[in-house]
Amino acid sequence: MNSLADKTASELSELYKKNSCTQKEILDSLTQAIHSKDGKLNAYVKFEQTRPIHRKPPATKARHQNIGGQASADGDLRSPLWGVPIAIKDNICVEGQEASCASKILQNYIAPYNATVIEKLLDAGAVIFGRTNMDEFAFGSSCETSFYGPAKNPWDLARVPGGSSGGSAASVASRTAIAALGSDTGGSIRQPAALCGIVGLKPTYGRVSRYGLIAFASSLDQIGPMTRDVRDSALLLNVIAGYDPKDSTSADVPVPDYTSFLGQSIKGMKIGMPKEYFKEGLSKEVGEAIKSAVKKLEGLGAVVSEVSLPHTEHAVNVYYIVAPSEASSNLARFDGVRFGYRNKSAQTLKEMYEKSRGDGFGAEAKRRIILGTFALSSGYYDAYYLKAMKVRTKIKSDFDEAFKKVDVLLTPTAPSPAFKIGEKTEDPLQMYLSDIYTISANLAGVPAISIPCGFSKNNLPIGLQFLAKPFDEGTLFKVSHAFEQATEFHKQKPEEPSS
Ligand code: GLN
């Protein structure tokens, strides 16, 4: 029999309904799985010091009524996430817990409040369970820039799990988490989801509150679910989506019940494949997996055609101006005074700033700060930042045009399956190209999902990405669920890491 740690959120909900397990049994099963596997995976950060948080103890028979309904603020035993442990990326604030962004500079920084997504999960009865490893401040595509050392890919411990939400992806894939939250600025949910064989959703910009997410690039960041299947992704988005007056970029757009899109036919759905995504740089194995996925979708009645997103070739360049510019400004607050680490040997205020930042930030964070400060400095601002913003608008219009013709776009998520630890660390440009297919969605603000669609000959997972119009996550769930139901990829799991 599979252990409880093997279950999805929706399966756990069914077990609760039948009274076939208790919350303690679930937490024990996960803790046991973490004790046996995480020494090798390094997916969690300071697990032993992080206590699970749950707002209401299991109480009444009310839990047996109305399960499957929407979460409500009182507690709530009706929520499908009731009692479900959710692992949280280390850049999302949970009151009373360290939120370090896997950086030395935020060591011992204890968050004084809950992010809105955490409040919403607690209101829905979920258990906040453990903090996951990540690239420092979410700068990276491999989890190798973490102060805690790299997380490993559960399918092959010599390889990266992707990044920056690598710990979230590795824990969900390895059955040491039921589901997790990640954040995605240029692909950090989708790329690790693809590399670890799970489902990762970046919602529309503004769909999920960023309040309490430690900012990387505020115009690009979104929090989203990382899960073993599409149903769990919909269940989690149901809970975390919605307007938040505490986030000025949060959108006041009604949240549908995303589970209502599951199980719908995709007959006649128009799927566009942007021709710019299928050029050099795409590995043969990923290309072939995508090709067979397209056949499968056509078999389900979808109509697949070629479309064009002509400004795609500029996306990486634009992103590496915009994202570091915003990052350099967001990171200015870490000065050794208010948060986390301070160098104690400094003699003057200026020296204290310099030494605290010099010791506290890792190499990639420093690279981003320098890049961003340069692009924003007077004399260069127009040539770099302003120009990048103009091209960003063009990238957004490409999507608007494409969505006049098709319902959804299909692309690879990452150019290759998981690469070896250390393979790209010496060459930042190679690393930046890992996000070539994911970055545009953030620049344009559109929602995108990565789902498993195959395996390489080395048995490494491959992901495909769907993108939709703003606030049309429903269509992403519809097409992803239809594909998932017709395939078995999401059911594969990695073997136990051997010693
Ligand atoms: N890998 C990209 C970067 O390093 C995206 C990171 C992210 O989405 N947080 O910027």
Side-chain angles (χ1 to χ4, degrees):
M1 198 189 101
N2 285 346
S3 80
L4 290 170
D6 261 317
K7 305 285 180 207
T8 61
S10 59
E11 287 167 350
L12 288 182
S13 179
E14 286 304 311
L15 290 177
Y16 278 136
K17 229 193 280 188
K18 291 191 257 156
N19 240 350
S20 314
C21 73
T22 66
Q23 187 178 301
K24 179 168 183 318
E25 285 165 349
I26 290 171
L27 296 186
D28 286 350
S29 169
L30 272 181
T31 306
Q32 208 183 4
I34 291 168
H35 284 157
S36 93
K37 301 181 198 175
D38 202 55
K40 303 228 166 52
L41 291 169
N42 201 25
Y44 280 91
V45 162
K46 298 192 176 171
F47 178 72
E48 300 305 334
Q49 285 113 286
T50 316
R51 288 173 60 79
I53 301 174
H54 187 221
R55 199 157 262 167
K56 281 209 167 171
T60 63
K61 292 200 193 95
R63 179 170 132 213
H64 301 285
Q65 295 153 12
N66 301 321
I67 292 187
Q70 287 282 309
S72 79
D74 69 57
D76 173 304
L77 304 177
R78 293 172 298 154
S79 158
L81 287 189
W82 188 90
V84 176
I86 310 287
I88 307 294
K89 187 175 177 179
D90 197 31
N91 58 354
I92 299 174
C93 290
V94 175
E95 187 180 348
Q97 292 188 355
E98 187 172 307
S100 78
C101 291
S103 177
K104 179 173 176 178
I105 210 157
L106 279 178
Q107 291 307 293
N108 306 321
Y109 168 67
I110 306 295
Y113 65 95
N114 281 329
T116 296
V117 289
I118 301 296
E119 284 293 320
K120 283 177 178 269
L121 285 173
L122 288 169
D123 283 348
V127 182
I128 303 302
F129 186 82
R131 301 186 65 76
T132 55
N133 202 355
M134 56 184 280
D135 281 292
E136 183 182 9
F137 282 104
F139 302 148
S141 311
S142 66
C143 228
E144 291 167 287
T145 69
S146 168
F147 175 68
Y148 300 106
K152 314 276 169 62
N153 191 313
W155 294 89
D156 178 348
L157 296 175
R159 291 177 191 268
V160 304
S164 61
S165 312
S168 292
S171 60
V172 173
S174 65
R175 277 58 182 165
T176 56
I178 305 294
L181 291 186
S183 68
D184 190 312
T185 307
S188 275
I189 288 177
R190 292 159 286 153
Q191 184 257 17
L195 270 43
C196 290
I198 64 163
V199 174
L201 171 79
K202 182 202 85 76
T204 310
Y205 185 74
R207 175 79 297 185
V208 174
S209 169
R210 292 182 296 109
Y211 179 76
L213 168 69
I214 299 176
F216 162 1
S218 312
S219 77
L220 302 163
D221 299 340
Q222 269 291 283
I223 296 173
M226 303 179 74
T227 56
R228 299 213 197 108
D229 66 13
V230 174
R231 176 172 297 278
D232 276 8
S233 187
L235 287 176
L236 263 164
L237 190 64
N238 268 357
V239 170
I240 63 173
Y243 175 63
D244 179 11
K246 291 182 183 149
D247 170 2
S248 60
T249 58
S250 161
D252 196 358
V253 175
V255 180
D257 175 2
Y258 290 112
T259 59
S260 69
F261 294 92
L262 308 178
Q264 287 188 18
S265 158
I266 58 163
K267 213 164 178 341
M269 181 184 272
K270 290 192 215 123
I271 300 181
M273 294 175 69
K275 61 175 190 228
E276 293 79 6
Y277 283 58
F278 295 89
K279 293 191 170 160
E280 71 279 14
L282 179 63
S283 83
K284 208 164 149 250
E285 287 182 304
V286 175
E288 275 163 13
I290 299 288
K291 238 189 243 158
S292 37
V294 168
K295 285 217 183 84
K296 186 61 88 192
L297 289 160
E298 284 175 333
L300 294 170
V303 183
V304 183
S305 64
E306 189 179 272
V307 294
S308 174
L309 298 171
H311 295 89
T312 299
E313 61 172 312
H314 305 300
V316 172
N317 297 342
V318 168
Y319 175 86
Y320 278 99
I321 297 292
V322 173
S325 297
E326 294 186 22
S328 71
S329 150
N330 278 322
L331 263 50
R333 74 191 65 163
F334 303 114
D335 54 7
V337 177
R338 287 164 295 174
F339 311 96
Y341 173 81
R342 174 183 300 176
N343 179 297
K344 299 267 174 32
S345 70
Q347 301 297 312
T348 64
L349 181 65
K350 186 161 174 277
E351 201 189 336
M352 194 277 289
Y353 289 153
E354 284 169 1
K355 286 197 163 158
S356 299
R357 286 170 70 84
D359 300 347
F361 289 126
E364 184 60 28
K366 286 177 186 155
R367 187 175 294 128
R368 306 272 173 134
I369 292 170
I370 292 169
L371 272 173
T373 310
F374 175 77
L376 290 178
S377 54
S378 87
Y380 294 105
Y381 180 90
D382 288 1
Y384 293 103
Y385 187 75
L386 201 64
K387 188 67 164 271
M389 289 305 276
K390 287 180 179 162
V391 184
R392 182 177 183 179
T393 307
K394 298 250 180 233
I395 290 170
K396 165 88 174 72
S397 336
D398 284 354
F399 280 99
D400 295 343
E401 284 308 309
F403 287 127
K404 285 183 189 156
K405 299 187 196 109
V406 295
D407 303 308
V408 70
L409 297 169
L410 185 165
T411 77
T413 310
S416 68
F419 45 93
K420 291 244 169 74
I421 293 175
E423 192 177 318
K424 300 192 183 185
T425 36
E426 295 310 311
D427 186 351
L429 275 181
Q430 271 308 311
M431 189 71 93
Y432 295 173
L433 288 171
S434 319
D435 303 308
I436 191 155
Y437 305 131
T438 47
I439 273 172
S440 297
N442 302 73
L443 291 170
V446 301
I449 193 168
S450 177
I451 59 169
C453 76
F455 284 89
S456 72
K457 59 180 185 317
N458 295 339
N459 202 33
L460 296 170
I462 295 174
L464 79 76
Q465 174 177 238
F466 291 114
L467 304 96
K469 293 186 198 82
F471 301 100
D472 195 13
E473 284 83 358
T475 298
L476 295 181
F477 288 127
K478 181 167 150 180
V479 64
S480 303
H481 191 251
F483 181 80
E484 187 183 79
Q485 293 303 295
T487 55
E488 298 281 313
F489 305 116
H490 66 292
K491 294 191 181 146
Q492 312 289 321
K493 58 175 183 171
E495 282 168 18
E496 295 268 323
S498 57
S499 38

